[in-house]
Amino acid sequence: MDKFLIKGPNRLNGSISIGGAKNAVLPLMTACIIHPGKYILNNVPILRDTITMAKLLEMVGAQVEIYKNSFLINTKNCNKPYAPYDLVSTMRASFYVLGPFMSRFKEAQVSLPGGCAWGPRPVDFHIKALEKMGAQINLTDGYIKASGRLKGTNIIFDKSSVGATGNIMMAAVNAKGTTKIENSALEPEIDCLMNFLNTMGANINRDSNNNIIIKGESKFRDNFEFDVIPDRIEAGTFMIATAMCKGKVKLNNVNPNHLSIVIDKLIQSGSNIVINNNSLTIESKNRPKPVDIDTLIYPGYPTDLQAQWMALMSIANGSSKIIDNIYTDRFTHIAELERLGANISLNSNIATINGVKSLKGAQVMSTDIRASASLVIAGLFADKDTEISRIYHIDRGYENIENKFSKLGAKITRIKK
Ligand code: UD1
């Protein structure tokens, strides 16, 4: 298993390009199954997760060719609506095949994802919504087996869910009649999926209350190109890293509108940020001021940047609080940040971080994608050597993170094992 060796402290300077959004491209890839065709996705990040999704599509009968950051996906011969435990358990987003399978084949056999590193992550909203659309569903042997011609209906999610909104949108484009999703997710990745499906020929829009209205039985196109939106979580990670290590960094290929709350929080914490259309520059000169966050659905502060914010607050000039309202158990990074010298206490889903002046390198372990990112950031700031093991987690969500940080002047090397 590869490791990162970081020699700190580092200051970050220069410019890099942010890749396409992992959480946008994964459902786009499964959406290609809906209608037999040849689709080109551009600005695709080459990640463990996008490669895993390519493998899953190939198991279903698709062909996936990769040219640099473009995926050419041919779904003409897909014939097997099945997603096995081996793949779904390594990447929960594999569950995004459920909606497309029901759309195209009117049947699906998909492994239930189970828990994840930081606790339970149920899929009950997906299942109840499909049942309401008329699917017959059996949960046996760890699999969901679904079948039936779907009918449009009114779906009201108890909580706004990115995955359930995406899956039901993809299921509904071929259903009989109109589906309305109330309390739908507002994340930019969902709007990206909506744009992709509409480009494919679907008829989806949001009403004035942000409910998603999907007219079924679409007539689809079978050949087009589509650009994936920039990854707001990757961009936020590099911004927080700059705030922590100090320096001046320009990020190209970003959508600043998707980062509003993160920009606000970083400005409150003392960074200067200059925004252009598709780029932004962050400059940080001083020790960060303490700023509280609580994670919320979009446009609130994203849970996927909670661990990175905690790394930043661990060296703030005072105490701050972080509340994770989306995943109340998502705190495995605390014990690892403490190994580097952070002072953090946790009460239920509320972490109190007492900022310290310095961190000192140590051996630490990645536990999930974003927790790993927080360790990289903290390791870049810390004095002396930090060794991060199990970095396959970070490879799931960040393309060549060490090359990008090296380009900004950081001393970070991958040790291959
Ligand atoms: C997506 C993102 C993930 C991000 C999360 C929240 C992808 C591939 N992953 O995950 O990176 O952290 O959004 O922004 O896009 N819930 C239920 N029942 C369900 C579904 C969800 O109770 O059937 C709950 C979850 O436990 C959680 C909340 O709803 O508390 C939101 O989860 P959801 O938006 O569905 O997250 P994912 O789509 O799995």
Side-chain angles (χ1 to χ4, degrees):
M1 281 190 277
D2 292 3
K3 293 179 177 179
F4 279 149
L5 183 61
I6 302 174
K7 288 189 180 298
N10 293 276
R11 210 184 160 86
L12 302 177
N13 280 295
S15 71
I16 51 166
S17 233
I18 295 302
K22 169 182 91 75
N23 287 350
V25 74
L26 295 173
L28 298 191
M29 289 176 76
T30 66
C32 294
I33 297 171
I34 293 173
H35 183 70
K38 277 186 177 178
Y39 309 99
I40 298 175
L41 299 177
N42 299 319
N43 198 30
V44 178
I46 308 299
L47 307 168
R48 246 180 129 87
D49 276 11
T50 47
I51 300 300
T52 304
M53 188 60 93
K55 276 192 199 139
L56 177 52
L57 292 189
E58 282 170 352
M59 285 193 58
V60 175
Q63 285 169 291
V64 183
E65 289 173 47
I66 300 174
Y67 302 100
K68 294 193 176 160
N69 287 99
S70 293
F71 280 17
L72 171 58
I73 301 174
N74 181 341
T75 58
K76 293 193 171 173
N77 298 321
C78 286
N79 57 4
K80 201 171 163 207
Y82 172 64
Y85 177 69
D86 292 358
L87 285 178
V88 184
S89 62
T90 57
M91 184 183 69
R92 298 178 52 86
S94 313
F95 206 65
Y96 267 131
V97 291
L98 182 61
F101 282 172
M102 289 305 286
S103 231
R104 173 147 168 201
F105 302 105
K106 299 175 187 58
E107 61 174 87
Q109 187 178 349
V110 179
S111 170
L112 292 164
C116 86
W118 67 81
R121 286 177 70 181
V123 287
D124 52 325
F125 298 163
H126 307 236
I127 295 171
K128 278 186 211 147
L130 281 180
E131 267 176 339
K132 190 151 188 237
M133 294 175 80
Q136 289 88 54
I137 294 193
N138 272 313
L139 299 179
T140 42
D141 308 327
Y143 280 77
I144 165 169
K145 294 179 188 173
S147 60
R149 171 88 165 95
L150 301 181
K151 284 193 207 79
T153 183
N154 212 8
I155 310 281
I156 307 175
F157 288 129
D158 294 342
K159 267 194 213 172
S160 160
S161 157
V162 177
T165 302
N167 244 337
I168 297 310
M169 240 163 44
M170 293 190 279
V173 290
N174 254 334
K176 196 170 178 332
T178 299
T179 303
K180 178 174 174 188
I181 307 180
E182 292 187 37
N183 198 17
S184 66
L186 301 174
E187 273 65 11
E189 293 74 19
I190 288 296
D191 281 50
C192 180
L193 175 61
M194 193 185 296
N195 290 340
F196 177 86
L197 292 169
N198 282 339
T199 308
M200 204 179 205
N203 184 339
I204 312 176
N205 56 62
R206 282 192 191 271
D207 69 14
S208 52
N209 295 319
N210 267 326
N211 300 318
I212 296 180
I213 314 291
I214 308 128
K215 296 208 169 113
E217 298 175 296
S218 305
K219 287 226 179 323
F220 293 114
R221 288 166 68 194
D222 60 5
N223 203 326
F224 63 92
E225 281 192 42
F226 191 87
D227 294 342
V228 179
I229 57 169
D231 196 315
R232 62 195 169 104
I233 305 301
E234 188 194 13
T237 302
F238 279 95
M239 290 168 79
I240 295 170
T242 310
M244 190 159 183
C245 296
K246 303 189 188 71
K248 187 173 179 182
V249 168
K250 182 176 184 207
L251 301 178
N252 296 311
N253 187 36
V254 294
N255 184 334
N257 294 331
H258 295 167
L259 286 158
S260 298
I261 182 87
V262 183
I263 291 171
D264 286 354
K265 294 286 177 184
L266 283 165
I267 290 173
Q268 283 173 41
S269 177
S271 292
N272 283 319
I273 298 176
V274 178
I275 298 167
N276 291 310
N277 281 349
N278 302 315
S279 69
L280 60 81
T281 302
I282 172 164
E283 186 170 20
S284 309
K285 293 182 179 159
N286 301 313
R287 191 174 167 192
K289 294 180 203 153
V291 176
D292 297 344
I293 57 155
D294 51 341
T295 69
L296 292 168
I297 55 173
Y298 188 83
Y301 190 93
T303 174
D304 286 352
L305 286 171
Q306 180 258 103
Q308 298 88 319
W309 193 261
M310 193 175 290
L312 177 66
M313 288 301 104
S314 74
I315 57 143
N317 192 6
S319 292
S320 58
K321 284 209 180 336
I322 293 182
I323 307 176
D324 202 316
N325 297 301
I326 307 290
Y327 294 117
T328 50
D329 299 322
R330 189 178 203 175
F331 291 106
T332 52
H333 41 284
I334 291 182
E336 303 301 311
L337 289 172
E338 283 178 335
R339 288 180 60 75
L340 298 173
N343 177 347
I344 304 167
S345 60
L346 183 66
N347 184 359
S348 176
N349 65 333
I350 306 173
T352 304
I353 304 111
N354 297 309
V356 294
K357 259 194 175 150
S358 60
L359 299 177
K360 189 151 172 265
Q363 288 177 309
V364 289
M365 196 194 283
S366 303
T367 48
D368 67 70
I369 308 178
R370 310 305 170 184
S372 322
S374 78
L375 298 179
V376 171
I377 294 172
L380 289 170
F381 170 86
D383 293 326
K384 307 236 167 81
D385 292 359
T386 297
E387 192 182 283
I388 308 178
S389 57
R390 301 198 178 178
I391 57 167
Y392 55 85
H393 287 292
I394 209 159
D395 293 333
R396 289 189 50 199
Y398 293 86
E399 181 175 339
N400 276 331
I401 194 169
E402 72 273 30
N403 291 1
K404 288 189 181 178
F405 274 122
S406 298
K407 219 178 151 205
L408 298 176
K411 294 182 276 309
I412 173 169
T413 6
R414 179 181 292 256
I415 302 169
K416 293 218 173 255
K417 278 269 161 91

